[in-house]
Amino acid sequence: MTHRQTLFGVELDPLTMDETVQRCLEAVRDGRQLEIGVVNAAKLVNMRRDQRLADAVAGCDLVLADGQAVVWAGRILRAPLPERVAGIDLFLRLLAEAESTGIPVYFLGARQEVLEQMLLKVADRFPGLKVAGSRNGYFDDSEQESIADAIARSGAHLLFLGMTSPKKEIFTAAHGARTGARVVHGVGGSFDILAGVTKRAPKSWQRWGVEWLYRALQEPRRLGRRYLTTNASFLLMTARELVRLTPPATSANRSR
């Protein structure tokens, strides 16, 4: 069992992508439930402001570094993480595994038209995938239990939540077990990307940890200020933590 690393008071699992996929497949095989939480710089900042979000993430069975900035901060703050495990990349890996092994999946999230477009793209990319069911992500809190029950009746073993934070984390914490899914993975805006509604940053932008900037350039009015604010807060958090961890310099004895 890999020991967790603590970063900004949050426990993260230092796993590679391959190790994470293996954990998920083992959960399906063994009939155990695995709730996955992913964190990037913005979410770590928001977790300090939103206790419900912080509690929901802390309650996940696996908490992974979704953002490259989190991996870099881990190195600086002596909590090393082997690599970034991006939520969308894990999503695609699990879809491929589900197709090859016959694991039924359920998609919950996005607008209805986006969901339908994504289902078409998924069917084209993974023609052998067993889709147990799907539903858009627009529903009242009063409907959550009935939606969880519908997912349970579908027999899905992998549940993907294409919803924003903190809605997906709070749904997972409150109703993940009720869905009966073996693996519950919140994939955020991945449905939009697969549907072709938004574009993902090129690999070079991802490597340099500026995927957020690519997204902000696509939607500057909605995302520009938000990303600048959260990134500045994350840098400040990292600097403060580094100061806290750095031992004071030992002064030379000047007495004679």
Side-chain angles (χ1 to χ4, degrees):
M1 194 71 176
T2 308
H3 292 291
R4 282 181 153 183
Q5 297 283 16
T6 302
L7 190 63
F8 307 114
V10 179
E11 291 190 345
L12 283 85
D13 293 278
L15 299 175
T16 64
M17 176 65 76
D18 289 341
E19 290 169 340
T20 303
V21 171
Q22 191 58 39
R23 290 276 189 97
C24 293
L25 296 178
E26 288 171 357
V28 173
R29 183 193 65 203
D30 299 340
R32 294 180 290 104
Q33 187 167 60
L34 196 66
E35 294 179 358
I36 298 174
V38 296
V39 295
N40 55 20
K43 191 179 294 184
L44 285 170
V45 170
N46 290 330
M47 284 168 66
R48 293 199 164 187
R49 304 168 180 169
D50 186 339
Q51 193 58 48
R52 287 184 72 193
L53 174 61
D55 291 343
V57 172
C60 290
D61 302 292
L62 287 183
V63 181
L64 307 166
D66 177 56
Q68 187 60 44
V70 178
V71 176
W72 288 337
R75 292 173 187 167
I76 294 168
L77 301 176
R78 304 170 208 162
L81 302 163
E83 65 182 19
R84 177 191 183 200
V85 181
I88 185 171
D89 294 332
L90 177 59
F91 178 30
L92 293 171
R93 282 286 301 271
L94 290 176
L95 287 179
E97 293 288 348
E99 180 189 31
S100 64
T101 55
I103 299 171
V105 307
Y106 195 104
F107 301 103
L108 175 62
R111 301 190 312 274
Q112 184 63 33
E113 60 270 27
V114 173
L115 178 63
E116 291 172 1
Q117 186 63 26
M118 186 207 69
L119 289 170
L120 291 174
K121 295 290 182 67
V122 166
D124 184 56
R125 187 167 179 175
F126 306 100
L129 183 68
K130 291 183 179 179
V131 179
S134 63
R135 193 199 189 286
N136 67 61
Y138 289 80
F139 50 83
D140 294 329
D141 289 349
S142 61
E143 299 178 82
Q144 290 190 13
E145 287 189 2
S146 62
I147 290 170
D149 290 339
I151 295 168
R153 288 193 300 272
S154 78
H157 286 171
L158 300 181
L159 169 60
F160 301 107
L161 305 177
M163 301 186 290
T164 57
S165 294
K167 188 173 182 179
K168 65 178 183 289
E169 288 86 2
I170 291 172
F171 180 89
T172 299
H175 305 293
R178 190 177 184 122
T179 67
R182 300 290 181 256
V183 176
V184 181
H185 177 26
V187 300
S190 299
F191 287 12
D192 288 41
I193 293 174
L194 263 64
V197 174
T198 58
K199 291 183 179 180
R200 192 179 182 194
K203 292 287 186 183
S204 58
W205 290 60
Q206 295 175 43
R207 282 194 300 271
W208 284 102
V210 289
E211 197 166 2
W212 62 271
L213 179 58
Y214 190 86
R215 287 194 62 200
L217 290 172
Q218 290 185 75
E219 300 182 77
R221 289 187 178 181
R222 188 174 76 86
L223 299 175
R225 185 173 180 178
R226 182 197 307 177
Y227 277 128
L228 288 174
T229 301
T230 53
N231 285 350
S233 297
F234 184 76
L235 286 172
L236 185 58
M237 279 169 52
T238 304
R240 285 175 173 168
E241 190 68 8
L242 183 60
V243 169
R244 188 184 70 81
L245 293 174
T246 304
T250 305
S251 59
N253 190 340
R254 295 180 181 273
S255 59
R256 294 183 180 178

